[in-house]
Amino acid sequence: MYDIAIIGLGPAGATLARLLDKKYKVIAIDRKNSNDSKCCGGLLSPDAQKILAQFDICLSKEILVNPQIFSVKTIDLDNHIEKFYQRFYVNMNRAKFDKFLISLIPDKIEICNDTICMGIKKEDDASYCLELKTKGVKRIEKAKIIIGADGANSIVRNTFYKKYKIYRYISIQEWYEDDTNSPFYSCIFSKEITDSYSWTISKDNYLIIGGAFPEKDSNMRFEALKEKIKESGISLGKLVKREGCFVYLNKRFMSTCTGKDGVYLIGEAAGMISPSSLEGISYSMESAKKLAEIINGNFKNIEYKYYMSTLGIRIKIIFKILKMPFLYNKILRKLIMKSGIKTIKKYEIK
Ligand SMILES: Cc1cc2nc3c(=O)[nH]c(=O)nc-3n(C[C@H](O)[C@H](O)[C@H](O)COP(=O)(O)OP(=O)(O)OC[C@H]3O[C@@H](n4cnc5c(N)ncnc54)[C@H](O)[C@@H]3O)c2cc1C
């Protein structure tokens, strides 16, 4: 019997596993194998940088990629406006970042990679029974507390908290070889393509094109995005890889769920991701830190303490929801962009 089972070792699960008290017997499970990487923009926001600073964690240059970015070109295809805005992100390799966070987990924690959690059931003794599968081999493990750190489409959330409805979108990214030496970081808004947004990011010698799309017609929408990018004069190199995943779009005020009765959610599984920018790494590490602090006290009243301690995160998400019309409503976005607030005027060499 484990004290705690963590499902998922993204930034949320890896942070929690690192911070839990040594007195607990912990198992941490992830379906990823060493070659898998999360479909992600791989940009560390100032909030994520702040949490890393609080943890006194530095990133080696091997985790960073070229180029570092200081501005984003915002392309509004609905209103035919383009503006530049200053950005303070760190451009990094997401797969290496996740591996680095996992490498910080103490040896005492039992890590099971390449292991999928297929189901979770509550037992009569109030513990939980996990059905796991590693390379085709099934086994059962038991734990007193389950932590869902399993991202969007979380099995933990789907099993225990289905009533907390949350929009689920599909993210698709394609990586193209790019030897043009002209980095292109952009946010693209077009109602025709998606009611969320699309992007391009340069990473080492690749140009990534991606977007978050409603599940219906997601492939068609992605193809439409590529057409628009080509029409704008960007020529795409050789396609190197295509990746995709679900992403939670927390557009409702009540979609965040922290859990109860021995089953708790952290990170994106809890709905803790910015609905406006899809930035989520900071929320994942922050919620993991909050839950670790509470569990390390004792197992008493976790539900209430964790709910209250994440109030700040939920308020932040509410502000992001309120900000959404200014990004996604065509008329409001036009007004904001035309106003020139916070835009950068690019210096042109004559
Ligand atoms: C296309 C895209 C681009 C993004 N870009 C950025 C960005 O640039 N910056 C940023 O801050 N955020 C970004 N995000 C959001 C960010 O990726 C997530 O918010 C963040 O990864 C959430 O971390 P997490 O640990 O909660 O979940 P995840 O990182 O999703 O980790 C969940 C883990 O659980 C594992 N898992 C899932 N189900 C099971 C199961 N049944 N059994 C075992 N293991 C399981 C998965 O393998 C995975 O490792 C982006 C998201 C998308 C989709």
Side-chain angles (χ1 to χ4, degrees), residues 6-14 29-33 36 38-45 48 89-90 92 94 98 102 112 115-119 132 148-156 170-173 185 197 199 201 203 210-212 243-248 266-270 272-274 277-285 287:
I6 304 172
I7 319 297
L9 280 174
I29 295 145
D30 201 297
R31 66 192 306 168
K32 277 194 304 243
N33 65 40
D36 290 340
K38 161 102 184 172
C39 169
C40 179
L43 299 173
L44 275 180
S45 68
Y89 293 132
V90 170
M92 52 124 188
R94 175 66 200 263
D98 281 7
I102 291 171
C112 305
T115 300
I116 179 161
C117 175
M118 317 263 295
L132 306 179
D150 46 349
N153 203 29
S154 154
I155 188 169
V156 183
I170 290 187
S171 247
I172 304 173
Q173 290 197 143
Y185 174 41
Y197 80 107
W199 54 82
I201 303 170
K203 247 179 227 295
E243 55 189 6
C245 68
F246 289 112
V247 60
Y248 280 154
I266 53 176
E268 196 173 338
M272 293 178 188
I273 174 167
S274 161
S277 65
L278 302 184
E279 187 265 315
I281 294 173
S282 67
Y283 297 88
S284 293
M285 293 193 292
S287 55

Side-chain angles (χ1 to χ4, degrees), residues 211-222:
F213 310 99
E215 284 190 51
K216 192 169 177 286
D217 304 330
S218 54
N219 274 316
M220 243 171 60
R221 289 166 183 271
F222 183 70

